[in-house]
Every structure is written in C-alpha cells, then in structure tokens.
Amino acid sequence: MELVTPSIGLVFWTLVSFLILLVILKKLAWKPMLGAIHERERSIEDALNKAELAKQEMARLSNENEALLKQAKAERDAILKEAKEIKDQIVNEAKTQAQTEGAKLIEKAKLEINNQKIAALDEVKNQVASLSLEIAEKIMRQQFNDKQKQEQLVGELLKDVKLS
C-alpha cells in the first residue's frame, strides 16, 4: 500500500517544490505570458475596432456611391432631355425654313412660268403678225399682178372712202 498512499514527507517536499516552482513561474513566466495575453487582447480589440471602422467607412462610401450614382443618373436624364429639346427645336426650325424656302421657290417658279408664258404669247403674236403680213403681201402681189384686179380693188376702196 505504500505505493498507493504517499508518505507525509513526500507530500511536504512535493508541495514545497510546487510552491517554489509556482513562485519562480510567477516571477519569470506569468508576467511575460500575461503581458503577451494582454497584448494579444489589445491587438484583437484594435483589429475589431479597425474592422468596425472599416465597415462603417464602407457603408459611408456605399451611401456616397449610391448618392453619386443617383446624381449622375439625374444629370444624364437632364442632358438627354435637353438634347432632345434641342433636336426637336432644330428639326422644327429646319421644317419651317424648308417650308419658307419651298414657298419662295414655288412663287419664283410661278413668276417665271408667267414670264415665259407672256414671252411665248408675245412671240406667237409676233409670228402670227409676221405670217399675216407675208400672207397679205403674197395675196396682194397676186392681185396686183393682174391690172384689171388692181383697178377693181382701187375702185372698191374709193367707194368705201366716199361712203364713210
């Protein structure tokens, strides 16, 4: 049974050596270990704080990005609206100008047609007059070739003159 139950002397010296070891460990090992543990706790706490700050910064940047995106969309919509208004204005001005130019061209064409018509009528009148004179001249020459016809014509003209 001696193996199972230790003697009092052994227990005493084991306890004394344990207490000495405990004091040596407290002096030499506990402070550096506790210091390392506290340092580790501080570094973990700092890392958690930095992570929280980074999370808040990310949330702030995300909100800023959303605001900038909304602003950019609003500016894009405003620019597109302005561009559409300018396009419509240019198209309307072009239509108006084209209608005005078309009306001017039509009026000019009508005047030109009338001028050409008048010129053509004058030319036809001149040609008719010229042809009439040629025909009359030919007829008169044929009538004046014959002496008897000439005397008869002069006589008729004299009768007309006396009667009038």
Side-chain angles (χ1 to χ4, degrees):
M1 244 340 230
E2 281 185 28
L3 288 174
V4 177
T5 53
S7 67
I8 298 241
L10 182 63
V11 172
F12 173 75
W13 286 113
T14 306
L15 187 63
V16 169
S17 61
F18 179 73
L19 289 176
I20 292 173
L21 181 65
L22 195 62
V23 169
I24 291 173
L25 284 175
K26 185 176 180 185
K27 293 280 184 188
L28 298 176
W30 277 119
K31 284 187 180 182
M33 284 185 356
L34 286 178
I37 290 172
H38 288 303
E39 184 64 33
R40 179 77 177 141
E41 283 179 2
R42 273 197 312 266
S43 69
I44 290 172
E45 192 174 309
D46 287 345
L48 288 174
N49 288 338
K50 287 179 182 178
E52 184 63 31
L53 289 174
K55 183 179 175 184
Q56 290 173 356
E57 183 69 17
M58 288 296 290
R60 184 184 65 79
L61 289 174
S62 177
N63 289 337
E64 284 181 13
N65 284 342
E66 287 178 20
L68 287 173
L69 186 62
K70 285 180 184 178
Q71 182 182 4
K73 285 181 181 179
E75 288 177 5
R76 180 201 66 195
D77 292 342
I79 290 171
L80 288 175
K81 182 180 178 185
E82 183 179 346
K84 184 179 179 192
E85 289 173 358
I86 290 172
K87 178 200 74 143
D88 291 342
Q89 181 183 5
I90 290 172
V91 167
N92 288 337
E93 287 176 1
K95 279 183 183 178
T96 303
Q97 186 178 7
Q99 288 174 348
T100 304
E101 290 294 322
K104 286 180 183 178
L105 288 173
I106 289 171
E107 190 62 34
K108 187 176 179 181
K110 284 181 181 179
L111 282 172
E112 187 65 29
I113 288 170
N114 278 339
N115 289 340
Q116 292 292 329
K117 182 179 172 184
I118 291 171
L121 286 176
D122 285 344
E123 189 176 330
V124 168
K125 284 180 186 178
N126 288 337
Q127 286 180 356
V128 167
S130 172
L131 287 174
S132 296
L133 285 175
E134 285 179 24
I135 292 171
E137 183 180 344
K138 286 181 181 179
I139 291 173
M140 293 300 270
R141 280 192 184 159
Q142 282 181 352
Q143 285 184 351
F144 286 128
N145 282 341
D146 189 7
K147 190 99 168 142
Q148 187 183 13
K149 285 185 180 177
Q150 278 182 354
E151 289 175 2
Q152 184 184 5
L153 181 62
V154 170
E156 286 176 10
L157 288 174
L158 286 174
K159 284 183 191 175
D160 284 341
V161 172
K162 288 182 185 175
L163 292 176
S164 301

